[in-house]
Each structure stands twice: as C-alpha cells, then as structure tokens.
Amino acid sequence: MNEAYALEMKGVSKHFGDIKANRNVNLTLRRGEILALLGENGSGKTTLMNMICGIYFPDEGEIYIDGKPVVIASPVDAFRYKIGMVHQHFKLVDIFTAAENIALGMQDEGKYDIREISARVKEISSRYGFDIDPDKKIYDMSVSEKQTVEIIKVLYRGADILILDEPTAVLTPQEATKLFSVVRRMRDAGKSIIIITHKLHEVLSISDRVAILRKGEYITTVNTAETTESELTELMVGKKVELNIDRSDPLTDLPRLELRHISCTGPEGLPLLRDVNLHVCSGEILGIAGIAGSGQRELLESIAGLVRLDKGEIIYHNPKTGKVCDLRDHTPVQIREMGVRLSFVPEDRLGMGLVGNMDIVDNMMLRSYRHGHGVFLDRKNPADLADRIIGDLQVATPGPHTAVRKLSGGNVQKVLVGREIAAAPIVLMTAYPVRGLDINSSYMIYRLLNEQKQKGVAVIFVGEDIDVLLALCDRVAVLCGGAVSGILDARTATKEQVGYLMTHSEGENRHA
C-alpha cells in the first residue's frame, strides 16, 4: 500500500445463505477525512459497516487499520481498534444522566468517579463544540442532545474512526448545520468519519469523498468537489434518474377532512395533541413537519380511529353525497362501514401496516377479506394486485408468496404503499413513506402521491426531509409539542422558517 489508510477493506464479501450482501468490496478511509457512503436500499451499506464494527465477520477479504491487517470478530475488537458507530436508533437509558450513559459498558476497574467522567465529557464537548450538560437526564433531552450523547460516548472511549448512520434523519435544519460544524471539527482534529445518508445535498455539503455501492458491490469512490447530485444518483442506480418533483397546482380549495380543536393525552396523562386545527382539501398534499415525537403519529392515528381523543371533531366531507360526518371515536372498521375511503400508511410498517409472517398476497387480502363469501376467500384479486405492485414498484422479492418479514425495509414499504393506493382512497395518509428507500424508489413514491393528488385525493404526507416537504407539498403544517406552531405555503416557505417553527410553539399560528 502506498498510503497507510486509517481503514482499508480489500476484497471483502459477506453471504447470508444464497443472498450475497457484499461482494469483493474495496474501500479506503483516510486519516482526517469525511467519507460519505451511498447506495440504494439493500446495496449492502449496513452489512459492510457491521463488519467494521464486529457485528458480522467477513466470509472473504481483509480489513486493515493504519496499514496493518486486523481481525474484528466482535464489537470489543472494534473498540480495541478505536472504531465507534453511532446508530440511527439511540441506545440510551432514559432515567440515567448523560455521564452515566457514557460510563455504561466501560471496562475500567474499580468504582466509577462520576465527577471525573462529567469533567471529561465537558472537556470533549469544549474541544469539538458540543453543547451538552453531563448531569442532565436523557428523558429531559431533545433528539439532538441524545445524539450528542451517543457521539461523545464513542469519543470518550477513544474512537478515531467514527461511523454515523443517518445522523440528520430526525434533526431540524439548524440542528443539522450545527452537527456538521462539529463533524468538521472532529475531522480537522484527525478523526476519520464515515457518514451513511440518503440526502445528496448533505453529501455534497459535508463529505470529502463519496464511496458508492450498488447491489452489494463496490462501484467507485469520487471526490465530492468533482461530482454532482445527478452523477451520484446515476452511479448508485446504474442509470439516469430524474430528480425533479413535478408538483402540480391544487385542484380545489374544498376541504375534504377537517380537524377541529382535537386533543388527546398519553397513558401517563401527558398531552400528545393540544387543540389542533387543520384541514386538507381534495386534490392537495398537506405536509406535516416536526421533530420526532411532536404528535405526528397521534395525529394520523386519531384520524384512522386508532387513538381516542379527549375533545374535538374529525369532520369528513363525503364527495358523493355532500354530507359531513364526525369520525371521532369510531373504529377503523366503523369508519369503513360509514363509506369513508381512507387509506393509511403508518410509521410502523410491520407492527401496524403489514403482518410479517404472511406473504405478499395474504397481506393484500387484509384489505378485502371481509368481502369473501361464506368460508371461502377471494384469493385471485389479491394475487393479481400483488403481482401488479411487485411489477410497478419494482419490489425485490423471489415471488408474491414470500413472507413480508424476509423483504428489506424498503421493499416492505413499497408493498404497503402500493396496497393502500390500490384501495382508491378519498383521503390518503402517509407517515414517512420513503424512510429507508433509495433515491430511485423515493422519487417513484413522490410521483405516486402526486398522481393521487391529481385524481382529487386529499393527501396528508408526514415527512422528515424538509427539502422534500417544500418541493412536494402545497402547504406544510408544523407541529411542536403536540400543537400546530404554524402553517406555511410550501411554494414560498424556507427551510429556516420550518426549522424555527419545529422548535417554537409560542406565538400566533401562521396560516398560508
């Protein structure tokens, strides 16, 4: 090797039975560099990182640290080689402080000196520009503070190679900007950082080089300063992809669904929704923005009949009869029997949307089994629908009788979105419908939602990518602490305005 890389993978492969997750991957990471790792859903990014972290062991190939071959057979080995990963889903104990969480799992002998740990946390925070109170409880922290604890945890343990998995997925634009500033300071201090993200504008903003995977194989590594979004997308997908969201004008200003002063509380008596007033019109897409846990889930589930409200009305305007009805306190079955054509793509795909142990055809039947005659169920129409969804949405599956739990997260999402759209809804609600999807599949979903809008469907789109919300939606309602902090015209609003409203609930609502 001409250069002693901080990390190098040579000819690394990993198989799971007949599935080749990674094949002959060659990857290099320099000292003091930010490397972005890009690839479609199912391209092997997570498997590759899990081999670096000791969760999986490669079937073939070698891994080098600072030019020397190493064996990483467990996460303990990864820590020994100063490798740390910050996962998208945090692994923290809520009732502990930041310092106590950082102390967990340490191998030091004797008793912990929590004051010494707190002092060390403050020193790390000062060096890299973090803003964290080591004595603050996790349950009192914002999402960005929890992420900060996770990053400091691996730095405290001496990590020189950091892997950040979708680090901005749940951050506001302001929080993402602050995080990137910290990441650059870590790079300038000699840390080597791998960032996994689907957001191409972030890749171009933060990284020095970009490594591309496609279908488990390494394609190339390019210098960030010498590439573009369209070029990166073509390298990922293997063909040119149109990255424009073709937003049409709203068809009408006639409300199809109205939420009037709805409120609900959680099991511990804490308010989840607070006096929410919203409406969505026929032939428009209403976006819902907010940091994680701001009430997005409860908002959609209350409309679907899954959450009982303390007060308020959910008024549905029937386009056929012109009559209105209140959906509050009705079950999903009752709502359907009232003639309300409502489709819901929930955040919890397998827990709520689909049954993992059932195959694709049987999951299609969940929408139609009540229409069977006697003891017999109609399996032909669901089978035809499954075949159509697999073809139209390019679902990667051995066949329609494959158990849904065996599909990748992105393909599970395609099955769920396809089934709900096929039900010809009047109101379509989607919670994070492109989470975990690659660029090509994401834009396919955006086009499907816009097609539904053009058919007169009232679409509610809960998303985490503010750029997409502003490009796809007609209006964006921002939730903060369970209340509507503002409603913006998506054509004129800025990311900064949305980000501000995501963290500020006081003041008058802004309506477009």
Side-chain angles (χ1 to χ4, degrees), residues 224-381:
T224 306
E226 300 170 358
T227 190
T228 62
E229 284 192 18
S230 58
E231 181 182 345
L232 291 175
T233 303
E234 187 174 348
L235 288 171
M236 278 193 295
V237 180
K239 61 183 180 181
K240 287 187 178 295
V241 177
E242 182 59 53
L243 293 180
N244 294 323
I245 297 177
D246 186 17
R247 173 172 52 195
S248 57
D249 292 329
L251 293 186
T252 73
D253 58 359
L254 301 174
R256 180 65 59 223
L257 191 71
E258 292 183 82
L259 309 182
R260 299 175 181 173
H261 305 288
I262 68 169
S263 298
C264 71
T265 54
E268 298 179 356
L270 297 175
L272 300 176
L273 293 174
R274 297 185 289 121
D275 196 37
V276 171
N277 292 279
L278 284 176
H279 74 273
V280 58
C281 298
S282 174
E284 82 157 344
I285 300 179
L286 173 67
I288 307 292
I291 60 175
S294 294
Q296 301 96 314
R297 179 172 183 163
E298 291 77 17
L299 181 73
L300 298 192
E301 290 183 1
S302 65
I303 298 171
L306 301 171
V307 168
R308 183 169 290 273
L309 296 175
D310 298 330
K311 67 173 186 176
E313 299 174 295
I314 302 174
I315 303 300
Y316 173 75
H317 297 257
N318 192 312
K320 289 187 177 180
T321 65
K323 296 181 179 180
V324 300
C325 56
D326 189 354
L327 306 185
R328 178 184 167 183
D329 295 338
H330 288 83
T331 67
V333 172
Q334 291 170 335
I335 290 173
R336 186 179 303 180
E337 289 174 346
M338 292 165 64
V340 179
R341 283 158 54 189
L342 177 71
S343 287
F344 180 27
V345 179
E347 180 179 0
D348 186 358
R349 302 167 186 172
L350 289 178
M352 185 181 295
L354 301 169
V355 179
N357 287 328
M358 292 169 60
D359 65 24
I360 300 175
V361 173
D362 286 344
N363 271 283
M364 296 301 111
M365 291 176 60
L366 292 177
R367 265 277 181 185
S368 59
Y369 77 96
R370 289 180 180 272
H371 302 300
H373 301 285
V375 297
F376 299 102
L377 296 176
D378 176 13
R379 299 186 67 90
K380 184 180 185 307
N381 288 336

Side-chain angles (χ1 to χ4, degrees), residues 401-446:
H401 296 291
T402 301
V404 168
R405 62 178 171 79
K406 294 184 179 180
L407 304 179
S408 70
N411 287 304
V412 169
Q413 187 73 328
K414 290 180 183 179
V415 171
L416 179 54
V417 171
R419 186 191 71 186
E420 293 305 304
I421 288 178
I426 298 298
V427 177
L428 171 63
M429 303 187 298
T430 61
Y432 312 106
V434 300
R435 180 179 283 171
L437 294 186
D438 53 78
I439 295 291
N440 194 34
S441 298
S442 296
Y443 278 81
M444 182 187 301
I445 297 298
Y446 302 149

Side-chain angles (χ1 to χ4, degrees), residues 67-315:
K68 299 177 182 177
V70 298
V71 174
I72 305 177
S74 70
V76 174
D77 290 338
F79 276 124
R80 186 182 304 125
Y81 293 115
K82 299 184 176 181
I83 300 170
M85 183 167 180
V86 177
H87 297 271
Q88 184 176 355
H89 302 290
F90 307 140
K91 304 178 186 301
L92 300 170
V93 181
D94 279 355
I95 61 173
F96 286 1
T97 65
E100 289 167 342
N101 271 276
I102 289 167
L104 285 175
M106 297 294 290
Q107 299 296 319
D108 297 341
E109 297 180 0
K111 294 183 178 179
Y112 294 115
D113 186 339
I114 201 66
R115 288 177 298 180
E116 183 179 322
I117 293 173
S118 295
R120 173 73 173 142
V121 169
K122 290 178 181 177
E123 187 271 326
I124 293 174
S125 299
S126 176
R127 184 190 311 171
Y128 297 112
F130 291 110
D131 183 14
I132 196 72
D133 178 1
D135 300 320
K136 190 173 184 179
K137 298 282 190 181
I138 299 299
Y139 60 70
D140 286 328
M141 291 185 177
S142 66
V143 174
S144 63
E145 287 177 310
K146 293 176 183 178
Q147 185 180 68
T148 296
V149 174
E150 289 281 24
I151 296 174
I152 293 178
K153 189 197 299 185
V154 298
L155 291 173
Y156 187 95
R157 300 180 185 189
D160 286 331
I161 298 172
L162 287 84
I163 303 168
L164 307 180
D165 185 11
E166 299 284 355
T168 65
V170 291
L171 300 184
T172 67
Q174 290 87 341
E175 289 170 339
T177 299
K178 185 175 181 180
L179 173 65
F180 286 166
S181 177
V182 171
V183 170
R184 291 187 184 98
R185 285 196 193 99
M186 291 194 292
R187 174 196 62 190
D188 295 342
K191 304 294 183 184
S192 302
I193 302 158
I194 299 176
I195 289 184
I196 304 172
T197 179
H198 286 98
K199 300 177 182 178
L200 294 181
H201 64 278
E202 292 184 352
V203 170
L204 297 177
S205 169
I206 188 65
S207 67
D208 300 303
R209 293 190 301 152
V210 186
I212 312 291
L213 296 181
R214 188 197 309 151
K215 297 180 179 179
E217 296 183 349
Y218 170 78
I219 301 301
T220 188
T221 299
V222 297
N223 294 323
T224 306
E226 300 170 358
T227 190
T228 62
E229 284 192 18
S230 58
E231 181 182 345
L232 291 175
T233 303
E234 187 174 348
L235 288 171
M236 278 193 295
V237 180
K239 61 183 180 181
K240 287 187 178 295
V241 177
E242 182 59 53
L243 293 180
N244 294 323
I245 297 177
D246 186 17
R247 173 172 52 195
S248 57
D249 292 329
L251 293 186
T252 73
D253 58 359
L254 301 174
R256 180 65 59 223
L257 191 71
E258 292 183 82
L259 309 182
R260 299 175 181 173
H261 305 288
I262 68 169
S263 298
C264 71
T265 54
E268 298 179 356
L270 297 175
L272 300 176
L273 293 174
R274 297 185 289 121
D275 196 37
V276 171
N277 292 279
L278 284 176
H279 74 273
V280 58
C281 298
S282 174
E284 82 157 344
I285 300 179
L286 173 67
I288 307 292
I291 60 175
S294 294
Q296 301 96 314
R297 179 172 183 163
E298 291 77 17
L299 181 73
L300 298 192
E301 290 183 1
S302 65
I303 298 171
L306 301 171
V307 168
R308 183 169 290 273
L309 296 175
D310 298 330
K311 67 173 186 176
E313 299 174 295
I314 302 174
I315 303 300

Side-chain angles (χ1 to χ4, degrees), residues 384-403:
D384 291 343
L385 175 59
D387 287 335
R388 190 163 76 248
I389 289 174
I390 290 170
D392 292 348
L393 300 187
Q394 301 168 21
V395 178
T397 174
H401 296 291
T402 301

